[in-house]
Amino acid sequence: MTDRSIRWDSTVLAGRGSQMYSLIERLYPLCRSITGPGTEATLAALQETIPLTIERVPTGTQVFDWIVPRVWKIRDAYLKDPSGRRVIDFHESNLHVMGYSRPVHAQLSLDELKQHLFTLPEHPDWIPYRTSYYTDNWGLCAAHGLVSALPEGTYEVCVDAVLEDGDLVYGDYLHPGASKEEVLFSTHICHPSLCNDNLSGIALTLMLATLISNVKTRYSYRFLFIPGTIGSIAWLSRVGERARAVKHGLVVTCVGDAGPFRYKRSRRGNAEIDRVVEHVLAHSGKKHHVYDFSPYGYDERQYCSPGLNLAVGSLTRSSHGQYPQYHTSADDLNLVSAQNLQESLATYLQVIATLEKNRVYLNTSPFCEPQLGRRGLYDDIGARPDPDAFRMALLWVLNLSDGAHSLLDIAEKSKLGIDLISDAADSLKDADLLREQQCAP
Amino acid sequence: MTDRSIRWDSTVLAGRGSQMYSLIERLYPLCRSITGPGTEATLAALQETIPLTIERVPTGTQVFDWIVPRVWKIRDAYLKDPSGRRVIDFHESNLHVMGYSRPVHAQLSLDELKQHLFTLPEHPDWIPYRTSYYTDNWGLCAAHGLVSALPEGTYEVCVDAVLEDGDLVYGDYLHPGASKEEVLFSTHICHPSLCNDNLSGIALTLMLATLISNVKTRYSYRFLFIPGTIGSIAWLSRVGERARAVKHGLVVTCVGDAGPFRYKRSRRGNAEIDRVVEHVLAHSGKKHHVYDFSPYGYDERQYCSPGLNLAVGSLTRSSHGQYPQYHTSADDLNLVSAQNLQESLATYLQVIATLEKNRVYLNTSPFCEPQLGRRGLYDDIGARPDPDAFRMALLWVLNLSDGAHSLLDIAEKSKLGIDLISDAADSLKDADLLREQQCAP
Amino acid sequence: MTDRSIRWDSTVLAGRGSQMYSLIERLYPLCRSITGPGTEATLAALQETIPLTIERVPTGTQVFDWIVPRVWKIRDAYLKDPSGRRVIDFHESNLHVMGYSRPVHAQLSLDELKQHLFTLPEHPDWIPYRTSYYTDNWGLCAAHGLVSALPEGTYEVCVDAVLEDGDLVYGDYLHPGASKEEVLFSTHICHPSLCNDNLSGIALTLMLATLISNVKTRYSYRFLFIPGTIGSIAWLSRVGERARAVKHGLVVTCVGDAGPFRYKRSRRGNAEIDRVVEHVLAHSGKKHHVYDFSPYGYDERQYCSPGLNLAVGSLTRSSHGQYPQYHTSADDLNLVSAQNLQESLATYLQVIATLEKNRVYLNTSPFCEPQLGRRGLYDDIGARPDPDAFRMALLWVLNLSDGAHSLLDIAEKSKLGIDLISDAADSLKDADLLREQQCAP
């Protein structure tokens, strides 16, 4: 026997948006990358809230087709103009240095310099976010207005960084449920001072882990805080066949801005997680978009590679390339809000509640309709806010509980919401008119 | 060898609408319910036309999840106002008494009384039709205008009814065909003076039985005249696995009004009966509606319960809840007409003719086209009213008679009607270019 | 190992339209029919370009349900008016005599005559094209203006023809490829002085054969030049089960006029040839139409008969019955053009190139994405005219090369063209990230 479906009411949700926003404010200044002290400090901060396991993968480790890179530690970076003034200064924004820049300290002409300066001409006040993880290079990023006004002359450039052997780190938290089947929430932790992509994902994933850790669940829930690409590859490589325990999953990011929800389906296209998220969004009454899987984006690329093909989609608001501030200094604390985060949290919790509820039942009285009145179900109907809808929900659940339809199937066929259908199933279960279908182990 | 398709021409149809209307007039005054003398008298009247078998199921019999109730016999019911005048009188309309009212004879204040008076405020001249089969209650139904004008005072109320052990009765007529596979027509017989729902169904079902009894058919045809819900449950419970002989079926009711045809699909959704009815309606040139199955309505709820899942749909005109007169005294002899009944009959007969015709053939010359001219088929083509269409029908039947396509499939793919396709198949069969596919027994 | 995909660039195509048009001019005067000297002369002309095998099937041979007819040889035909003037003269147009007319030489009144004169009232200047292959008859065809002006009187009519035992002839050219699986191009050769239907088909099919004969191909290619209906039946009857080697095929005709392309699907409806042609047309940027199979038209009727059901469609421009000049003297050298023929050729070659390219690969590194940079693929990307599109093509091919998706499937899912997808597959194959899936022999 499993517990009744978990629900989170408005009391549980109150103030959660502000908590998530506060975490984003705290983590914003850290200079994260796919490795390094900023990333380790971020995981340490998360451990204050949940007992996250920190996994370490040494430099040089083969993870599928990849090699874990060296650790990048950045201390300072600047550009001094011919007059000796620091016109670009890492301590003003950690976006000023290209991620994984190799160390450099040199005097350069403006022309030589410009091959290593990155700007956004279309947004002259914003600093772009650039990385060069697997190509040996160095660079500074700055506002286009500033760079285009630089006079001719000799410049002093410095990137005070080291690249050395060490560990790739990621955080893993597992909440055990009644079943060993897992629901995965995966968020990347490799972006420096960028809020929507992806401090919002870190904050929401942590909040989900916190809330889930306090309830009894049907599924086990795994929360991964990983550097993008190399982190999910490292985790998948480590766990091997155990990755198949992931039955449903979502990649979490870009959940703090004001855009409508966007769901990118798993590679399977109609996996249960796909149908659940689409059902939740369809019944949200809010504008939203649904996209088929494509092999570009976040870590769903790895989870959905052809040898794995896990049922992992991605639920975001404005996602990569869909908002002008993406990968720029304008993806800052003003772009995300406590209110948006809270709305995203509520949507994710509804997805979880739906997964937990979505069972397959068998009508124990499948020949003709059972007599509802004799079992007090008409009284139950009468006590509901919408008796007609509840009666229809009872009839639909009875009619389709033939072992071939889940409650979500029934919700879709009946055009009634999963909550009403699940309530009806609970009443019918209490009246011994339903029993859960047990699949072979 | 089976006979050629049965056809009913306009000669056979002439006057049938009037005959059905006359039967409705005759049966209209009887006070039917799910049991009782009015229902028995109705079945007796039908036996004058066809040799209906009357089946009896005693009170207290368990039928699946249900118990056959006691028999309700109503003799009189009235309300006397403080002046002693009969303001509600069962002998004026048998709708005045709630079906299955328990006996009562009492003096009541207006307030006490009103808890047992049922009216239709939105239609102040109409008497509603109410029942309380499985809840111990009593009630009178009357025009809202009358009830709202009742003065304060003491009222004498009387329901002179008995509820006693006896038999639930239903009628069953089987026309044996070449095959033991059955086509079921089921109509309910439990409504008192209400014409569209469902004296029209009784009259049409009887007419179908009469016409079918005079022809040789491929299928066996079963006609059930049953009290709603409990009657179909009782029949299904009695016949057990033999219900599986029903390969196609329709619930017949609401076939006398002027509304467009409405077809509610079986739970299977694309059973042959569903495709046949939709084909007939699509080729009727008339406005019509098609709905997916839902577990609310008439006895298709029982036939389509998950343990049975019979291929039974329901073909009506305006159905329950779709016309204002539904379950009121306004569903009277003016709402239905001989013309509408006749049109419904023609549609049902076309459904039957299509079922009878819809066979699967094998092209006996499947490698390249056979030479039609050599077999006189071009002369056959030339003799047709539309030679081009007939030639196309021949080619389509030859091309798709591969064992995987029925004539209905071919009609749909070719966008030609089943009649033309069936004619072409007959010609090809005569030319030994087709043989019927025999399935394993 | 198979070769890289064949490609035909604009150099190969240059001037081909004019060559095809010249052939049409040369063949136009010959009086072709399903047998006879004009047909044999046509095949002899084609042999000057490709080593066509001429197959002979004697009169009286049973070919499936048909009997090969006698050979028709026409020498002269005329109508002399009462004044002795030749008003209809075979030597002015070989359409003047109905194909397979039996010989006649008689004096007839105008009334007697008119039963054997065929005209087109709606196009009074055009001569219709009529045949009577399997019914013993004679007839002359002429402009309606001329016939309606004929005065009363006695006419001399002459059809100087013989019908005698001989051979049905057709031409067959096979280009062997790496695989014994065949791609079939079939065109009919039985129409006299008619250009679009079907000298255009003869010219295009010959050009395809010429071009294919010069390249190494994956598939074998068969080119059939056959009299309509009886020719394809004779070929299919002769080859028997070997017809199953045809894995993809197109019936070629009506490819010289200015109409948009029209594709008639094979009976299978979604065979690879159907999907390939639809992909090519969809990416052509030109208006086109796609139709489901129907059992009327050209020799696809035979290839798609139910006992064969070969994957053969038909790619045309304006097809039978879709242009007013169809089967009239107005289907002449003015209706077709070198430019239209060249465009049709390019489309057919693109179909062939797509068939050749469309393979199923397996990602050799299916767990997570492989590291593209390490293998130089990012340099490859950077060198492309559209690097972003090429990178997406690489990712799509990697993601979907799971053994269940062909390159065409990937092109359709990604909405990228087959050329780009195939290029990406070639790069990945060079990087050892793909291997071709080998099916069991």
Side-chain angles (χ1 to χ4, degrees):
Chain A
M1 278 297 290
T2 54
D3 292 319
R4 280 293 158 87
S5 307
I6 52 175
R7 293 182 196 227
W8 290 275
D9 61 18
S10 52
T11 323
V12 174
L13 286 177
R16 299 298 182 179
S18 300
Q19 288 176 33
M20 289 186 276
Y21 190 84
S22 296
L23 180 67
I24 291 172
E25 286 182 306
R26 177 178 166 195
L27 299 178
Y28 183 66
L30 297 175
C31 187
R32 279 165 294 278
S33 186
I34 54 174
T35 60
T39 307
E40 301 223 14
T42 298
L43 291 172
L46 305 183
Q47 280 184 307
E48 296 172 19
T49 305
I50 54 164
L52 201 61
T53 304
I54 307 297
E55 301 285 350
R56 298 188 166 273
V57 190
T59 298
T61 306
Q62 177 93 28
V63 288
F64 291 127
D65 195 54
W66 300 62
I67 309 286
V68 171
R70 287 178 296 169
V71 172
W72 184 62
K73 297 179 178 171
I74 177 75
R75 286 180 295 239
D76 195 8
Y78 60 82
L79 179 71
K80 285 188 181 164
D81 69 9
S83 73
R85 193 171 58 92
R86 275 197 176 212
V87 290
I88 299 177
D89 186 347
F90 171 70
H91 296 297
E92 286 179 1
S93 166
N94 53 39
L95 298 184
H96 276 317
V97 65
M98 181 164 76
Y100 266 66
S101 261
R102 66 169 147 83
V104 65
H105 195 169
Q107 304 285 328
L108 295 176
S109 71
L110 185 58
D111 270 3
E112 291 168 322
L113 181 62
K114 281 197 171 172
Q115 298 167 45
H116 295 273
L117 290 185
F118 301 95
T119 69
L120 290 167
E122 63 272 35
H123 295 291
D125 296 333
W126 298 355
I127 309 166
Y129 165 54
R130 297 288 293 260
T131 63
S132 182
Y133 297 136
Y134 301 100
T135 309
D136 185 32
N137 200 357
W138 68 267
L140 296 178
C141 304
H144 188 73
L146 182 142
V147 170
S148 58
L150 292 178
E152 294 291 332
T154 300
Y155 286 79
E156 178 188 345
V157 65
C158 174
V159 175
D160 180 11
V162 289
L163 280 158
E164 60 184 25
D165 285 356
D167 293 330
L168 177 94
V169 293
Y170 62 84
D172 182 356
Y173 174 65
L174 181 74
H175 166 78
S179 158
K180 285 189 189 306
E181 295 187 340
E182 293 180 16
V183 182
L184 171 68
F185 293 92
S186 173
T187 194
H188 54 285
I189 56 165
C190 53
H191 286 34
S193 304
L194 296 167
C195 285
N196 199 39
D197 179 15
N198 76 322
L199 285 171
S200 70
I202 296 172
L204 177 53
T205 305
L206 186 75
M207 185 57 76
L208 290 175
T210 307
L211 294 174
I212 286 285
S213 70
N214 290 319
V215 291
K216 293 182 74 168
T217 57
R218 167 189 182 191
Y219 289 112
S220 295
Y221 285 78
R222 185 176 298 277
F223 302 87
L224 286 181
F225 299 86
I226 49 173
T229 305
I230 188 68
S232 52
I233 293 171
W235 178 74
L236 286 163
S237 174
R238 278 216 165 169
V239 299
E241 278 303 303
R242 279 179 291 133
R244 309 256 173 236
V246 173
K247 298 301 177 190
H248 320 281
L250 290 174
V251 168
V252 191
T253 185
C254 297
V255 288
D257 72 296
F261 286 104
R262 287 176 166 88
Y263 181 61
K264 175 181 171 179
R265 291 181 177 126
S266 79
R267 184 178 182 274
R268 300 183 184 192
N270 67 343
E272 188 173 342
I273 185 67
D274 301 319
R275 296 180 54 226
V276 163
V277 176
E278 291 179 49
H279 185 84
V280 166
L281 293 177
H283 281 73
S284 71
K286 288 175 184 153
K287 195 183 159 196
H288 61 273
H289 305 284
V290 178
Y291 304 93
D292 276 330
F293 177 78
S294 81
Y296 194 69
Y298 296 104
D299 286 306
E300 67 276 9
R301 293 163 65 160
Q302 312 310 326
Y303 301 124
C304 297
S305 57
L308 296 164
N309 200 21
L310 300 179
V312 176
S314 180
L315 176 58
T316 65
R317 302 183 75 120
S318 301
S319 192
H320 61 95
Q322 292 171 333
Y323 60 108
Q325 302 91 340
Y326 171 74
H327 277 198
T328 76
S329 57
D331 186 350
D332 63 10
L333 291 163
N334 292 316
L335 187 68
V336 299
S337 77
Q339 187 188 334
N340 297 336
L341 290 160
Q342 180 127 348
E343 191 187 43
S344 297
L345 174 66
T347 303
Y348 267 82
L349 291 176
Q350 180 67 6
V351 168
I352 292 171
T354 302
L355 280 171
E356 292 277 318
K357 286 174 188 181
N358 188 29
R359 295 163 189 275
V360 177
Y361 289 103
L362 290 170
N363 179 336
T364 60
S365 181
F367 300 101
C368 299
E369 294 176 356
Q371 203 181 357
L372 301 182
R374 185 153 62 80
R375 294 183 166 84
L377 286 163
Y378 279 121
D379 300 335
D380 190 358
I381 290 169
R384 300 280 166 166
D386 184 345
D388 285 347
F390 190 71
R391 183 184 52 190
M392 285 308 299
L394 291 173
L395 294 175
W396 274 109
V397 173
L398 284 169
N399 189 268
L400 292 179
S401 287
D402 55 4
H405 297 88
S406 69
L407 293 188
L408 182 61
D409 294 327
I410 299 172
E412 290 182 354
K413 276 214 164 190
S414 68
K415 300 188 175 65
L416 301 170
I418 184 73
D419 291 342
L420 186 64
I421 290 294
S422 177
D423 284 356
D426 286 344
S427 285
L428 292 167
K429 210 162 43 173
D430 289 345
D432 292 328
L433 285 171
L434 290 187
R435 62 182 168 83
E436 192 174 350
Q437 177 166 273
Q438 302 302 330
C439 300
Chain B
M1 277 298 289
T2 55
D3 293 318
R4 280 295 158 86
S5 308
I6 52 174
R7 293 182 196 226
W8 290 275
D9 61 18
S10 53
T11 322
V12 173
L13 287 176
R16 299 296 184 182
S18 300
Q19 288 175 33
M20 290 186 275
Y21 190 83
S22 296
L23 180 68
I24 292 173
E25 285 182 306
R26 177 178 166 195
L27 299 178
Y28 184 66
L30 297 175
C31 187
R32 278 166 293 277
S33 186
I34 53 174
T35 59
T39 308
E40 300 222 13
T42 299
L43 291 172
L46 305 183
Q47 280 184 307
E48 297 173 16
T49 304
I50 55 165
L52 202 61
T53 303
I54 307 297
E55 301 284 349
R56 298 187 165 274
V57 190
T59 299
T61 305
Q62 177 93 28
V63 287
F64 291 127
D65 196 53
W66 300 63
I67 308 287
V68 171
R70 287 178 296 169
V71 172
W72 185 62
K73 298 179 178 171
I74 178 75
R75 286 180 294 241
D76 194 8
Y78 59 83
L79 179 71
K80 286 188 181 164
D81 70 8
S83 73
R85 192 171 60 92
R86 277 198 174 210
V87 290
I88 299 178
D89 186 348
F90 172 70
H91 295 297
E92 287 178 2
S93 166
N94 53 38
L95 297 184
H96 276 316
V97 65
M98 182 165 76
Y100 265 67
S101 261
R102 66 166 146 82
V104 65
H105 195 168
Q107 304 284 328
L108 295 176
S109 70
L110 186 58
D111 270 6
E112 291 167 323
L113 180 64
K114 282 199 170 168
Q115 297 167 46
H116 294 274
L117 291 184
F118 300 96
T119 69
L120 289 166
E122 63 272 32
H123 296 292
D125 296 335
W126 297 355
I127 309 164
Y129 165 54
R130 297 289 292 259
T131 64
S132 182
Y133 297 135
Y134 300 99
T135 309
D136 185 31
N137 200 357
W138 68 268
L140 296 178
C141 304
H144 188 72
L146 182 143
V147 169
S148 59
L150 292 178
E152 293 292 333
T154 301
Y155 287 79
E156 178 189 344
V157 66
C158 174
V159 175
D160 180 11
V162 288
L163 279 159
E164 60 186 25
D165 286 356
D167 292 330
L168 178 94
V169 293
Y170 62 85
D172 183 356
Y173 174 67
L174 182 73
H175 166 78
S179 157
K180 285 189 189 305
E181 295 188 339
E182 293 180 17
V183 182
L184 171 68
F185 294 92
S186 172
T187 194
H188 54 285
I189 56 166
C190 53
H191 286 35
S193 303
L194 296 168
C195 286
N196 199 39
D197 180 13
N198 75 318
L199 285 171
S200 70
I202 296 172
L204 176 55
T205 304
L206 186 75
M207 185 59 75
L208 290 175
T210 306
L211 294 174
I212 286 286
S213 70
N214 290 320
V215 291
K216 293 183 74 170
T217 57
R218 167 188 183 191
Y219 290 112
S220 295
Y221 285 79
R222 185 177 296 279
F223 302 87
L224 286 181
F225 299 85
I226 50 172
T229 304
I230 188 69
S232 54
I233 293 171
W235 179 74
L236 286 162
S237 174
R238 280 216 164 168
V239 299
E241 279 302 305
R242 279 179 290 133
R244 309 254 174 239
V246 173
K247 298 302 175 190
H248 321 280
L250 291 174
V251 168
V252 190
T253 185
C254 297
V255 289
D257 71 296
F261 287 103
R262 287 176 166 89
Y263 180 62
K264 175 182 172 180
R265 292 182 176 125
S266 79
R267 184 179 183 272
R268 300 183 184 191
N270 67 343
E272 189 175 341
I273 185 67
D274 300 320
R275 296 179 54 227
V276 163
V277 176
E278 292 179 48
H279 185 84
V280 166
L281 293 178
H283 282 72
S284 72
K286 289 177 183 152
K287 194 183 160 195
H288 61 274
H289 305 283
V290 177
Y291 304 93
D292 275 331
F293 177 79
S294 82
Y296 195 68
Y298 295 104
D299 286 306
E300 69 275 9
R301 292 164 66 161
Q302 312 310 327
Y303 300 123
C304 297
S305 57
L308 296 164
N309 199 23
L310 300 179
V312 176
S314 180
L315 176 58
T316 65
R317 302 182 74 120
S318 301
S319 192
H320 62 95
Q322 292 171 332
Y323 61 108
Q325 302 91 340
Y326 170 73
H327 277 199
T328 77
S329 58
D331 186 351
D332 63 9
L333 291 164
N334 293 315
L335 188 67
V336 299
S337 77
Q339 187 189 333
N340 298 335
L341 289 161
Q342 179 127 348
E343 192 187 42
S344 297
L345 174 66
T347 303
Y348 267 82
L349 290 177
Q350 179 67 6
V351 168
I352 292 171
T354 303
L355 281 171
E356 292 277 318
K357 285 173 187 179
N358 188 29
R359 296 164 188 274
V360 177
Y361 290 103
L362 290 170
N363 179 337
T364 60
S365 181
F367 299 101
C368 299
E369 294 177 356
Q371 204 181 354
L372 301 182
R374 185 153 63 79
R375 293 182 167 83
L377 285 163
Y378 278 121
D379 300 334
D380 191 0
I381 290 169
R384 300 279 166 166
D386 184 345
D388 285 347
F390 190 71
R391 183 184 52 191
M392 285 309 298
L394 290 173
L395 294 174
W396 275 109
V397 173
L398 284 169
N399 189 267
L400 291 179
S401 287
D402 56 4
H405 295 88
S406 70
L407 293 188
L408 182 61
D409 293 326
I410 300 172
E412 290 183 353
K413 277 214 164 189
S414 68
K415 298 188 176 65
L416 300 171
I418 184 74
D419 291 342
L420 186 64
I421 289 294
S422 177
D423 284 354
D426 287 344
S427 285
L428 292 167
K429 211 163 42 173
D430 288 344
D432 290 328
L433 285 171
L434 289 188
R435 61 183 168 82
E436 192 173 350
Q437 178 166 272
Q438 300 302 330
C439 300
Chain C
M1 277 300 288
T2 54
D3 292 318
R4 280 296 157 87
S5 308
I6 51 174
R7 292 182 197 227
W8 290 275
D9 60 19
S10 53
T11 322
V12 173
L13 287 177
R16 299 297 183 181
S18 300
Q19 288 175 33
M20 289 186 276
Y21 189 83
S22 296
L23 180 66
I24 291 173
E25 285 181 307
R26 176 178 167 195
L27 299 179
Y28 183 66
L30 297 175
C31 187
R32 278 166 293 279
S33 186
I34 54 175
T35 60
T39 307
E40 300 222 16
T42 299
L43 291 173
L46 305 183
Q47 280 184 307
E48 297 173 18
T49 305
I50 54 165
L52 201 62
T53 304
I54 307 297
E55 301 284 349
R56 299 188 164 274
V57 190
T59 297
T61 306
Q62 177 92 26
V63 288
F64 290 127
D65 196 52
W66 300 62
I67 307 286
V68 171
R70 287 179 295 169
V71 172
W72 185 62
K73 297 178 179 172
I74 177 75
R75 286 180 294 241
D76 193 8
Y78 60 82
L79 179 71
K80 286 187 181 163
D81 70 9
S83 74
R85 195 169 58 91
R86 277 199 175 209
V87 290
I88 300 178
D89 185 348
F90 172 70
H91 296 298
E92 287 178 3
S93 166
N94 53 38
L95 298 184
H96 275 316
V97 65
M98 182 165 76
Y100 266 66
S101 261
R102 66 166 146 83
V104 65
H105 194 169
Q107 303 286 325
L108 295 176
S109 72
L110 185 59
D111 270 4
E112 291 168 324
L113 180 64
K114 281 198 172 170
Q115 297 168 46
H116 294 274
L117 291 184
F118 301 96
T119 69
L120 290 167
E122 64 272 33
H123 294 293
D125 296 334
W126 297 355
I127 308 166
Y129 165 55
R130 297 289 292 261
T131 63
S132 184
Y133 298 134
Y134 300 100
T135 310
D136 185 30
N137 200 356
W138 67 268
L140 296 179
C141 304
H144 188 72
L146 181 144
V147 170
S148 58
L150 292 178
E152 294 291 332
T154 300
Y155 287 79
E156 178 189 345
V157 65
C158 173
V159 174
D160 179 10
V162 288
L163 279 159
E164 60 185 26
D165 285 357
D167 292 331
L168 178 93
V169 293
Y170 62 84
D172 183 355
Y173 174 66
L174 181 74
H175 167 78
S179 158
K180 286 190 189 303
E181 294 187 341
E182 293 180 16
V183 182
L184 171 67
F185 293 91
S186 172
T187 194
H188 54 285
I189 55 167
C190 52
H191 286 35
S193 303
L194 297 168
C195 286
N196 199 39
D197 179 15
N198 75 318
L199 284 171
S200 71
I202 295 172
L204 177 54
T205 304
L206 185 76
M207 184 58 76
L208 290 175
T210 306
L211 293 174
I212 287 285
S213 70
N214 290 320
V215 291
K216 292 183 74 169
T217 57
R218 168 189 183 190
Y219 289 112
S220 296
Y221 285 79
R222 184 177 297 279
F223 302 87
L224 286 181
F225 299 85
I226 49 173
T229 305
I230 188 69
S232 53
I233 293 171
W235 179 73
L236 286 162
S237 174
R238 279 216 164 168
V239 299
E241 279 302 304
R242 278 179 290 134
R244 308 255 174 237
V246 173
K247 298 304 176 189
H248 321 281
L250 291 175
V251 167
V252 191
T253 184
C254 298
V255 289
D257 72 297
F261 286 104
R262 287 176 166 88
Y263 181 62
K264 175 181 172 179
R265 291 181 177 126
S266 78
R267 184 178 182 273
R268 300 183 183 191
N270 68 343
E272 189 174 341
I273 185 67
D274 300 321
R275 296 180 55 225
V276 164
V277 176
E278 292 180 48
H279 185 84
V280 166
L281 292 178
H283 281 72
S284 71
K286 289 177 183 152
K287 195 182 160 196
H288 61 274
H289 305 283
V290 177
Y291 303 93
D292 277 331
F293 178 78
S294 81
Y296 195 69
Y298 295 104
D299 285 307
E300 68 276 10
R301 293 164 67 161
Q302 312 310 326
Y303 300 123
C304 297
S305 57
L308 295 165
N309 199 22
L310 300 179
V312 176
S314 181
L315 175 57
T316 64
R317 303 182 77 119
S318 300
S319 193
H320 62 95
Q322 291 171 334
Y323 61 108
Q325 302 90 341
Y326 171 73
H327 276 199
T328 77
S329 57
D331 187 351
D332 62 10
L333 290 164
N334 292 316
L335 188 68
V336 300
S337 77
Q339 186 188 334
N340 297 336
L341 289 162
Q342 178 127 349
E343 191 187 42
S344 297
L345 173 67
T347 303
Y348 267 83
L349 290 177
Q350 179 67 6
V351 168
I352 291 171
T354 303
L355 281 171
E356 291 278 317
K357 285 174 187 180
N358 188 30
R359 296 164 188 274
V360 177
Y361 290 103
L362 289 170
N363 179 336
T364 59
S365 181
F367 299 101
C368 299
E369 293 176 357
Q371 204 180 355
L372 300 182
R374 186 154 60 80
R375 294 184 166 83
L377 285 164
Y378 278 121
D379 300 334
D380 190 0
I381 290 169
R384 300 279 165 166
D386 184 345
D388 285 348
F390 190 70
R391 182 184 54 191
M392 285 309 298
L394 290 173
L395 294 174
W396 275 110
V397 173
L398 284 169
N399 190 268
L400 291 179
S401 287
D402 55 3
H405 296 87
S406 69
L407 294 189
L408 182 61
D409 294 326
I410 299 173
E412 290 183 354
K413 276 214 164 190
S414 68
K415 299 187 176 64
L416 300 170
I418 184 73
D419 291 342
L420 186 64
I421 289 294
S422 177
D423 284 354
D426 286 344
S427 285
L428 293 167
K429 210 163 42 173
D430 288 345
D432 291 328
L433 286 171
L434 288 189
R435 61 182 169 82
E436 192 172 350
Q437 178 167 272
Q438 301 302 331
C439 299

